[in-house]
Amino acid sequence: MIKKEEVYKIGRIGKTHGVRGEVTFQFDDDVFDRVEADYLVLEVDGLLVPFFMEEYRFRSDTTALVKFCDIDTQERAHELTNCDVYFPLALAGEDEAPVSLAFLVGFDIIEAQGGTIVGTIAAIDDQTVNMLFELTDGRLIPASSDLVKEINKDKRQIIMELPEGLLEL
């Protein structure tokens, strides 16, 4: 069974394309093209399931058409629409991961002064100039490199020096 700690989110399956079972894949990280990878991991009904790729081709810098093995009809492909797509950390290797901020989803933010857990990153908001970590409890923390003191991939933690009073906002 694949665990969330073993993968990181790289994109999402969009709509179907044609009648052969192809789907559009919107990605934030093209790691699947840079390293040897036969499969992607899709979250289907809350479970992480590996899907082996038969072929893929790029449509743009952020979109590809993907044909998965054993997905041969438009109806079967439609079942995969809107599934989040993950990539195995073990395949990414030290040199490749993380390329995207999506890798940090699921990391705990630790306050540098006291070592307390502030929260867990649920999403990254990069829609504005000032990027934010969205925590699972709804709080927003600036994702400024000036505040980040250390990123520990093994422990899935980000040590941050947060300004006094920030957590009370």
Side-chain angles (χ1 to χ4, degrees):
M1 183 149 138
I2 300 172
K3 298 177 183 162
K4 281 259 181 157
E5 302 84 47
E6 300 170 341
V7 296
Y8 69 103
K9 186 177 173 185
I10 62 168
R12 187 173 191 87
I13 299 295
K15 60 185 179 178
T16 60
H17 180 82
V19 295
R20 286 186 340 122
E22 284 185 308
V23 291
T24 57
F25 169 37
Q26 289 98 25
F27 57 89
D28 301 320
D29 187 338
D30 66 351
V31 66
F32 65 96
D33 188 53
R34 294 191 317 270
V35 300
E36 289 292 319
D38 297 327
Y39 67 94
L40 296 173
V41 178
L42 276 61
E43 186 170 14
V44 181
D45 296 329
L47 296 173
L48 295 174
V49 181
F51 281 83
F52 287 85
M53 295 181 287
E54 191 173 301
E55 63 182 0
Y56 64 88
R57 63 187 185 279
F58 290 99
R59 293 189 72 178
S60 72
D61 290 344
T62 59
T63 306
L65 294 176
V66 179
K67 171 73 173 74
F68 292 109
C69 295
D70 300 324
I71 306 293
D72 296 325
T73 66
Q74 186 176 15
E75 291 75 24
R76 292 279 322 270
H78 184 70
E79 295 171 10
L80 303 179
T81 59
N82 297 319
C83 287
D84 287 333
V85 179
Y86 296 85
F87 195 79
L89 287 169
L91 294 180
E94 278 300 310
D95 295 339
E96 294 295 333
V99 171
S100 70
L101 285 172
F103 175 80
L104 300 175
V105 172
F107 276 50
D108 288 328
I109 293 181
I110 309 294
E111 211 287 312
Q113 305 308 76
T116 58
I117 296 175
V118 174
T120 303
I121 299 173
I124 309 287
D125 181 353
D126 59 356
Q127 300 301 312
T128 63
V129 174
N130 297 317
M131 253 188 303
L132 299 168
F133 293 133
E134 295 180 27
L135 303 183
T136 54
D137 64 7
R139 290 185 293 173
L140 300 172
I141 303 289
S144 168
S145 60
D146 294 338
L147 301 177
V148 175
K149 298 302 167 201
E150 177 186 344
I151 297 176
N152 187 324
K153 294 180 196 175
D154 296 330
K155 292 183 180 179
R156 297 182 55 84
Q157 295 178 335
I158 301 173
I159 312 299
M160 296 185 75
E161 196 167 297
L162 301 174
E164 192 173 318
L166 178 73
L167 299 175
E168 284 76 44
L169 295 176

